[in-house]
Structure formats: structure tokens, C-alpha cells
Amino acid sequence: MKILIVGAGAMGSLFGGRLKARKEDVFLYNRNNPHVEKINHSGLTIVERDDQETTVTLTVVQEASKADAYDVVLVMVKAHATKSVLANLQDSFSPETLLITLQNGLGNLEILTELFPGNPAVAGTMGSGASVESDGRILHRGWAKNYIGRSKDTVAQEKLLEFIELLNRSGLETELAENVQRVIWNKLFVNVAYNSLTALTRLRNGDILNTGEGQGLLRSVVTEALQVAKAEGISMDTEEIVAKCLQMGREDIGANKSSMLMDILNKRKTEIDAINGAVAKLGKQHGIETPYNELITGIIKVIEANYDLQID
Ligand SMILES: NC(=O)C1=CN([C@@H]2O[C@H](COP(=O)(O)OP(=O)(O)OC[C@H]3O[C@@H](n4cnc5c(N)ncnc54)[C@H](OP(=O)(O)O)[C@@H]3O)[C@@H](O)[C@H]2O)C=CC1
Ligand SMILES: CC(C)(CO)C(=O)C(=O)O
């Protein structure tokens, strides 16, 4: 199976590196940058849970064409970059190529189906976590399960099952999700909590829970998101979800620097619109007040619009 991972950042590198370590036929796609150059020149180093390091030879390409015959394309850029990055690849895949998004936030599958209406496309979520520590070197610091929803296309579904098998063999625990909308909301609750709060406080995920105030803020943003989810037809128990988010922060993802924290540290645009912003926007549509998510979205937007003016 030939795989193209679009986006050679933290997660693209983790998935690409783990698959390549198992000798799978995988390539990354990214514009050139120092991290990409380092991977192409000296390989990708993954620092694992026990601080053991693996370096794999991996190729990051800047072009792709139908002749490359990719079976699966995994989208691993930030949500706001999907359209512009994939627009360059619109003629690069055959109609059978299966497109998969595991990106955080809402609306990712819709972007894929809009850009590639003739291709099978599925969505899912990542429980894995990682950050680019320096060029060519990533820290694998999140170990929960990944989920991918079914494809209605029987040929694509076969491919998907094979891909899931490859991920599992590569040590990235992944399951087929029967109710992918529920899975996506479940992940969104974790992201509304940790991504924005860690970006604002510049803490690792688990350190949000060091204070009662941090835990209280987590509960408030997650409770608002749960109310919006309910209005969208996804009903879940508040105490169960809050407890799950707390547990994940203490265990599976506690040591990770969230992807939004990394964006803030690197003075980049964040995914706030697809995460807390999406909750606030849907809340408005349903007449549900979301003051915490609205405030947090506003503050992140002020920060990302004014990086140049920040006082050190
Ligand atoms: N990191 C984590 O722990 C987790 C992340 N996720 C999700 O996975 C997805 C990928 O996140 P992550 O790997 O952390 O992101 P990164 O920012 O580390 O990587 C994104 C990659 O996309 C590339 N890219 C190419 N073109 C563009 C463009 N036009 N604009 C912006 N980026 C571009 C970037 O290259 P360049 O540097 O040249 O811009 C970069 O290599 C996100 O949806 C995130 O929410 C989910 C679970 C955990
Ligand atoms: C689960 C979490 C918060 C792991 O850090 C994540 O999805 C991210 O960083 O984007």
C-alpha cells in the first residue's frame, strides 16, 4: 500500500516515521523548511516514551502526481491550511485514492469532500500526541487510541482496514469507529479543554490540572461544548466526559505540549476557529450561551494577530 502524508509537522512525522520504521511505502508531503531539509538529509528522529530514540530514513516530497499512484492520503496539516495545501494536489490523485483526515476540530471531512468530490474520504481522531522539538526531531508524548470512521465505498473500506492494520503494526493503536461523529466530539471536548488553556498559560497539558482554577476552567469550557453537542444530536454525560478529560490530562496526554501551544510558541496561526471557536459559533446558532469558549477564542485571536507587538 502506497501512502502519502500531507503535512510533515509533529503528527505527520510521527505517523510517517512509525510506518517507515516498519518498512511501509510511505512519503511525506510538505513545502520545504528546515525540519523538512533535516529529515531529507539526516532522517527523522523520534524520541519515545522511555526517551529511547529511533532515527528513520524518510522522504519528504514537494510534488505529487497521479503517476505516484497513492492508495491512501492522510491529511496532517493544521485545519486552516487544508484548503490551500490540498488545492495544489487537486490533480495528483486517482479517483480511487482514499483520503483520511484525523485533524482536530470540526469541519475537516467537509473540506476534503468539497475539494475531492469524486474520492472516498473518511474522518477520525488521534489520541497520539507529538511535538517538533527541533528540526528533524520529534517527541512522541501522547499514547491514547486513534479512531477512523467507516467508508461507504466497499473498495475504500477494504483499503481502510488494511491501513488501520498497518498503523497498529507500527505501534499506533487505531480502531475503526462505528459512530465517528461521537468520536469527533469526544476528541473536541479534550481539545477545547487542553489546546486553548495550554496555549494561554504556556503549560504542558497535565499542568493545567495543578490548580483548582485550571480544573475549574476545564470543566467550564467542556460543559459548554457538551451543551452544544447535545443540540447537535450528540448527547453525553457531563460528569463522565469531564472525568475522562481529567484522566487523559493526568495520564495519556499529560506530558505533551499541545499543538496549539506549539503554534503560539512559534508565533503561528492556531486552530482556535475549528475548536473553541466552532463551539461558540454553533452555540450561537442553537441559542446556547458559551461565554468561556467565546472569551478564550477572542483572546487567542488577539494574541495571534499581534505576535509582532508582543512584549517579551
Ligand atoms: N501535535 C499533537 O500532539 C496533535 C495534533 N493533532 C492535530 O493534527 C494536525 C496536525 O498537527 P501538528 O502535526 O501538531 O501540526 P504542525 O504545525 O506540527 O505541522 C503542520 C505541518 O503542515 C505544514 N504546512 C504546509 N503548508 C502549510 C500551510 N500553507 N500553512 C500551514 N502549514 C502548512 C507545516 O509546514 P510549515 O512549517 O512549512 O508551515 C507543518 O509541517 C492538527 O489538526 C492538530 O490539531 C491531533 C492530535 C495531537
Ligand atoms: C490531545 C491533545 C491536546 C494532545 O496534546 C491534542 O490533540 C493536541 O495537542 O492537539
Side-chain angles (χ1 to χ4, degrees):
M1 166 173 285
K2 193 162 177 185
I3 303 160
L4 183 69
I5 300 183
V6 176
M11 300 311 291
S13 298
L14 175 66
F15 275 60
R18 279 299 196 96
L19 285 164
K20 197 63 205 266
R22 291 278 316 184
K23 310 242 180 310
E24 301 304 341
D25 197 7
V26 60
F27 294 84
L28 300 183
Y29 172 93
N30 208 100
R31 61 188 171 194
N32 206 24
N33 66 32
H35 176 62
V36 165
E37 275 179 16
K38 186 83 184 187
I39 294 175
N40 279 337
H41 193 256
S42 324
L44 168 80
T45 300
I46 306 178
V47 183
E48 291 295 349
R49 189 178 212 151
D50 51 6
D51 283 336
Q52 203 166 324
E53 298 185 10
T54 320
T55 299
V56 287
T57 304
L58 196 58
T59 306
V60 189
V61 298
Q62 268 94 50
E63 276 174 23
S65 82
K66 278 202 179 87
D68 298 320
Y70 290 108
D71 296 296
V72 169
V73 171
L74 182 59
V75 181
M76 292 285 204
V77 293
K78 291 279 162 56
H80 51 77
T82 310
K83 259 190 194 161
S84 65
V85 175
L86 288 185
N88 296 327
L89 293 169
Q90 255 176 324
D91 297 321
S92 304
F93 312 131
S94 77
E96 291 80 37
T97 304
L98 170 64
L99 307 176
I100 304 177
T101 165
L102 303 182
Q103 296 156 292
N104 282 330
L106 299 181
N108 295 308
L109 183 60
E110 290 76 0
I111 297 176
L112 291 195
T113 49
E114 187 192 317
L115 285 168
F116 296 90
N119 283 75
V122 293
T125 59
M126 289 181 281
S128 314
S131 57
V132 177
E133 204 50 19
S134 57
D135 295 335
R137 184 182 171 86
I138 61 159
L139 298 184
H140 183 188
R141 290 290 182 268
W143 302 277
K145 218 182 261 181
N146 311 304
Y147 293 94
I148 313 183
R150 277 182 181 281
S151 172
K152 290 186 203 110
D153 177 312
T154 42
V155 178
Q157 178 61 17
E158 285 294 307
K159 246 185 231 175
L160 176 59
L161 292 177
E162 193 187 330
F163 181 64
I164 290 176
E165 174 72 27
L166 296 187
L167 291 179
N168 280 307
R169 271 196 245 136
S170 308
L172 297 163
E173 203 188 343
T174 307
E175 238 179 54
L176 187 70
E178 293 303 336
N179 185 343
V180 78
Q181 275 316 109
R182 243 182 128 76
V183 163
I184 288 172
W185 275 95
N186 255 315
K187 182 68 199 288
L188 191 77
F189 300 137
V190 177
N191 293 128
V192 292
Y194 290 103
N195 291 39
S196 55
L197 294 180
T198 56
L200 289 173
T201 55
R202 298 181 171 228
L203 293 171
R204 286 183 177 78
N205 294 327
D207 291 329
I208 291 300
L209 311 178
N210 292 345
T211 57
E213 287 81 0
Q215 293 186 27
L217 283 168
L218 180 146
R219 174 177 285 276
S220 301
V221 287
V222 173
T223 303
E224 287 179 5
L226 276 153
Q227 285 161 357
V228 174
K230 192 171 178 195
E232 287 278 301
I234 310 280
S235 203
M236 298 194 206
D237 182 71
T238 305
E239 288 313 313
E240 205 177 290
I241 295 296
V242 170
K244 178 87 187 135
C245 288
L246 291 171
Q247 183 225 328
M248 282 190 78
R250 291 194 182 106
E251 296 167 15
D252 298 324
I253 59 162
N256 199 35
K257 294 178 193 162
S258 82
S259 54
M260 197 176 291
L261 168 60
M262 293 308 290
D263 284 333
I264 292 285
L265 294 176
N266 292 317
K267 299 190 189 304
R268 298 176 70 139
K269 186 171 163 58
T270 72
E271 293 182 303
I272 196 73
D273 282 332
I275 301 177
N276 305 72
V279 168
K281 192 172 167 194
L282 279 175
K284 275 213 176 76
Q285 285 170 19
H286 290 293
I288 296 167
E289 304 256 302
T290 59
Y292 282 92
N293 282 284
E294 232 175 274
L295 177 69
I296 283 171
T297 303
I299 298 174
I300 294 279
K301 279 175 164 292
V302 170
I303 294 173
E304 64 182 18
N306 292 288
Y307 285 129
D308 291 351
L309 303 175
Q310 271 180 346
I311 298 158
D312 288 329

